[in-house]
């Protein structure tokens, strides 16, 4: 059986305060509070801008030893440059502090924009440059430019490094796409997005990465008991062959932490029977 990680996409949301987070809990204690109840979380601030090594070090220190962070790749790489001219950009992203998470570093998530069509040559070139170990990532990070200061360019140990790709354009619905992912060992993100984007469930690596954006309304609607039961069964099946990471992104009405806790409880109940 593989490892199952259940969490949310981010943890700093004002509407969660007084609902998921207890009234009066200070913001610096929000991550520790979440980490007591879930065993993983996505860092999504890294998508919007380069973070600092001190932030990654603080997040790692605030969580239990067996906690895992998924890190969302920068939108400057995926949305602005659209995977082109990315060598220095990738180095900057990796040097910004990602490796400071140490053993708590999980998969790196690369989310493509909705307007980006399937381009196998472009994807293959991007995949070929991605580091598959933390030592390789450190070597790439050492090539960062002046935009990263201070930088973190060392790894505490050499560990495998996983990457997952989330797509949003219908041209990716072709057998050639999952075959390309398998060739490079990239995980396909199983993204439930209220029918707005393709929902593909091909297993393309030694892990499965799931993002639950809301079944009926994107980023808003919660999951019913039947829906959570369905996802628990899928995750249970995937875990027989490898690790599974699942994150709820339906945060607008504080559904994400509620659903993450409910899904984790279902999986815990199943494993105890």
């Amino acid at each position: 059986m593989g490892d199952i990680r259940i969490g949310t996409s981010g943890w700093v949301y004002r509407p969660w305060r007084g609902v998921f987070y207890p009234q009066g809990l200070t913001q610096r204690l929000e991550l520790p509070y979440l980490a007591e109840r879930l065993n993983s979380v996505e860092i999504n601030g890294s998508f919007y801008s380069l973070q600092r090594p001190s932030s990654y070090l603080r997040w790692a220190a605030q969580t239990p030893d067996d906690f895992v962070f998924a890190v969302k790749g920068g939108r400057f790489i995926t949305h602005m440059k659209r995977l082109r001219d990315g060598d220095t950009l990738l180095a900057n992203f990796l040097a910004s502090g990602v490796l400071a998470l140490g053993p708590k570093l999980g998969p790196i998530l690369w989310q493509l924009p909705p307007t980006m069509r399937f381009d196998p040559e472009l994807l293959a070139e991007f995949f070929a440059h991605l580091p598959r170990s933390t030592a390789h990532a450190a070597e790439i990070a050492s090539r960062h430019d002046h935009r990263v200061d201070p930088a973190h360019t060392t790894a505490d140990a050499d560990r495998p490094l996983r990457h997952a790709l989330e797509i949003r354009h219908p041209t990716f619905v072709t057998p050639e796409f999952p075959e390309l992912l398998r060739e490079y060992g990239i995980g396909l993100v199983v993204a439930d997005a209220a029918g707005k984007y393709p929902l593909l469930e091909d297993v393309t690596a030694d892990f499965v990465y799931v993002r639950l954006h809301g079944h009926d309304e994107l980023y808003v609607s919660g999951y019913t008991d039947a829906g959570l039961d369905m996802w628990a069964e899928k995750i249970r099946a995937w875990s027989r062959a490898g690790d599974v990471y699942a994150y709820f992104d339906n945060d607008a009405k504080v559904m994400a932490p509620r659903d993450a806790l409910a899904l984790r409880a279902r999986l815990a109940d199943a494993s105890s029977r």
Side-chain angles (χ1 to χ4, degrees), residues 187-208:
L188 169 65
V189 173
V190 179
D192 184 24
K196 185 172 182 178
Y197 306 123
L199 172 57
L200 305 176
E201 298 186 16
D202 303 79
V203 177
T204 60
D206 62 350
F207 70 101
V208 173

Side-chain angles (χ1 to χ4, degrees), residues 168-187:
R168 295 191 158 181
H169 197 278
T171 55
F172 284 86
V173 185
T174 170
E176 188 180 356
F177 174 53
E179 286 304 315
L180 180 65
L181 295 178
R182 290 188 186 101
E183 180 181 349
Y184 286 92
I186 305 294

Side-chain angles (χ1 to χ4, degrees), residues 77-159:
I77 295 173
T78 55
H79 288 53
M80 298 176 187
K81 288 295 186 177
R82 299 172 76 88
L83 307 186
R84 292 179 170 85
D85 307 323
D87 285 353
T88 300
L89 300 180
L90 180 61
N92 287 351
F93 171 73
L94 295 171
S96 66
V98 174
L99 295 170
L101 292 173
K104 297 182 181 182
L105 175 59
I108 296 178
L109 165 68
W110 302 98
Q111 181 193 83
L112 301 185
T115 56
M116 191 163 182
R117 302 173 64 88
F118 178 53
D119 182 337
E121 293 184 2
L122 176 63
L123 289 172
E125 183 176 0
F126 177 68
F127 295 159
H129 284 79
L130 294 177
R132 305 315 167 93
S133 71
T134 52
H136 187 198
E139 191 275 323
I140 294 173
S142 68
R143 304 179 214 152
H144 71 88
D145 66 16
H146 65 281
R147 286 172 285 191
V148 182
D149 184 20
H152 187 104
T153 61
T154 59
D156 66 310
D158 191 15
R159 303 182 185 88

